[in-house]
Amino acid sequence: MREVRQGALLLLTALAGAAVAAGDLALGPDISLTGLLMIGPLVAATRLEGACTAAVSFAALLLGVAVAAHEHTLSRTDQLLSLTVLAAAAAYATWASDRQAALDSQLAGVAAAAQRAILRPTSFRVSGASVCARYRSAAPRAVIGGDLYAFADTPSGLRVLIGDVRGKGLEAVRLSAAAIGHFRDCAYTRSNLAEVVEEADRRLIDDLGPEDFITAVIAEISPGRLRLVNCGHHPPLHLPAAGPPVLLTPAEPTTPIGLYPMPRVQEVELSPGDRLLLYTDGLAEARDPHGTMIDLAGLLPACSLPDLNDAIEAVLSTMCRHTHGAQDDDVALVLVELEPSLPRQHHAHTPPAVTATSAERPGEPRETACPSPSASAAVSD
């Protein structure tokens, strides 16, 4: 997408330069429009990298000299002055573009370091479950996002938060840190999962701006049972020890945190050896060069590797192969496994995803089969 925008801007500067040159030739040698050729380099400096800005600047200067030579005005004092000013503007535009690129790179590095400090890779075992979490930044190809995850081992079970702050840059990192802090506090002081969400939302009001919000899933994992509250986030992927992967889509959607959510608790039965993959839109919306989103059901072979660290790295590798290495957004992943009574079977091939066959009671949240890319989960941003 970035390459498309740069190409469009290069085309715009080329057309602007051609229009100025045509106007200059149409008006004749008595009137010079050479000064207007500065538009191209100055506009390029605001959006393009140094090399592209230098190319636009050189083209503008070359075009000015060519027009003056065609009109035999190179020896005129006013024309020489115009070309000198154009050359100075081109040099300044190139310098400014390089300077801005260096500052952007430094800012991205600071934000990336801050986010890595907040979202350190982790792997641990607690409350009858094994957990592995990873964060991968898309920088420098994209600005830093607001992905987040956190954990709390409470008397009610292991509570897990995964979410995505609206926006980019250091402000998103600040909000991520605030959300993690409030979640950890609420997770230990509130016995009900819905109350955890309500209290975290109340505390975050002072940190969020008028247009800020956080899509999130808060899960509570205990032996044989999973409780979920989904606040506008992508549904987790349930990977039973025996059976096809299932997206845990809530029966009724809830607004993100910061938009006054009315949390509804979704309950799912778990068996020993079941796994749960929580993720952000960097994975859910990963696209190949043709624009096809990744098939979440196709992650089963990666997720079923015996070691959780190997499994989560395999998920990232699968995503990288699908996008051909063009990661456009940050991605956070949390993979949880209920400790199995027997070693988990590794699936070499993905079985077809089917709708869960267990009977649904009236009013009970449902599980829906993992969709194809054309029927992706709700967008978090």
Side-chain angles (χ1 to χ4, degrees):
M1 184 62 69
R2 183 180 180 185
E3 289 77 7
V4 172
R5 290 195 296 266
Q6 287 187 345
L9 190 56
L10 283 171
L11 179 60
L12 179 62
T13 57
L15 292 175
V20 170
D24 196 321
L25 292 173
L27 292 173
D30 294 335
I31 300 178
S32 175
L33 301 179
T34 301
L36 294 178
L37 291 173
M38 288 189 296
I39 294 175
L42 295 179
V43 169
T46 64
R47 290 289 184 269
L48 299 179
E49 297 177 352
C52 292
T53 302
V56 171
S57 300
F58 179 75
L61 184 59
L62 187 62
L63 189 59
V65 172
V67 170
H70 179 78
E71 294 181 336
H72 305 289
T73 58
L74 275 176
S75 59
R76 282 174 24 186
T77 303
D78 61 334
Q79 188 65 274
L80 289 175
L81 180 61
S82 295
L83 290 173
T84 301
V85 172
L86 176 59
Y92 173 78
T94 302
W95 173 84
S97 179
D98 280 334
R99 177 64 176 167
Q100 185 61 46
L103 292 175
D104 289 345
S105 179
Q106 291 176 7
L107 180 61
V110 170
Q115 198 162 32
R116 282 193 297 270
I118 296 171
L119 302 180
R120 297 182 65 85
T122 185
S123 181
F124 61 91
R125 180 178 297 174
V126 67
S127 298
S130 297
V131 180
C132 187
R134 292 290 187 275
Y135 163 74
R136 177 175 290 179
S137 171
R141 294 182 59 87
V143 292
I144 304 303
D147 294 16
L148 60 105
Y149 53 73
F151 312 93
D153 184 20
T154 74
S156 301
L158 174 65
R159 288 176 171 173
V160 181
L161 164 71
I162 191 164
D164 193 353
V165 175
R166 178 187 181 275
K168 304 289 184 182
L170 287 174
E171 179 63 15
V173 176
R174 182 189 70 81
L175 292 177
S176 296
I180 290 172
H182 291 314
F183 161 75
R184 286 174 175 162
D185 188 19
C186 297
Y188 287 112
T189 58
R190 296 293 185 271
S191 59
N192 184 277
L193 199 60
E195 293 177 355
V196 173
V197 177
E198 291 171 345
E199 180 64 15
D201 177 73
R202 186 185 66 80
R203 296 187 183 189
L204 279 166
I205 289 298
D206 293 336
D207 296 297
L208 298 172
E211 299 181 357
D212 293 332
F213 59 83
I214 303 173
T215 67
V217 168
I218 297 179
E220 180 184 280
I221 302 167
S222 56
R225 184 175 58 185
L226 167 68
R227 289 191 178 97
L228 292 172
V229 173
N230 190 325
C231 298
H233 198 74
H234 295 280
L237 184 64
H238 180 203
L239 300 146
V246 178
L247 276 180
L248 302 180
T249 306
E252 298 181 41
T254 301
T255 56
I257 294 173
L259 299 179
Y260 307 102
M262 299 179 63
R264 296 174 176 84
V265 178
Q266 177 184 3
E267 294 196 11
V268 179
E269 291 185 2
L270 295 178
S271 301
D274 282 9
R275 289 183 177 181
L276 185 71
L277 178 66
L278 301 101
Y279 52 92
T280 57
D281 55 3
L283 174 66
E285 299 172 12
R287 300 175 184 269
D288 65 13
H290 303 290
T292 303
M293 285 195 293
I294 193 169
D295 181 9
L296 296 178
L299 298 175
L300 178 59
C303 290
S304 64
L305 291 174
D307 183 78
L308 285 190
N309 288 284
D310 293 341
I312 207 164
E313 291 296 336
V315 171
L316 291 170
S317 296
T318 301
M319 181 191 72
C320 186
R321 287 194 300 271
H322 179 78
T323 61
H324 292 203
Q327 183 183 343
D328 293 325
D329 200 357
D330 297 353
V331 58
L333 301 174
V334 176
L335 186 60
V336 184
E337 180 184 35
L338 265 69
E339 292 188 352
S341 55
L342 295 173
R344 184 181 179 92
Q345 180 181 359
H346 173 57
H347 296 266
H349 301 285
T350 304
V354 296
T355 303
T357 56
S358 58
E360 295 181 2
R361 291 186 291 274
E364 185 175 285
R366 66 184 185 278
E367 298 184 39
T368 56
C370 184
S372 64
S374 59
S376 63
V379 177
S380 64
D381 281 344

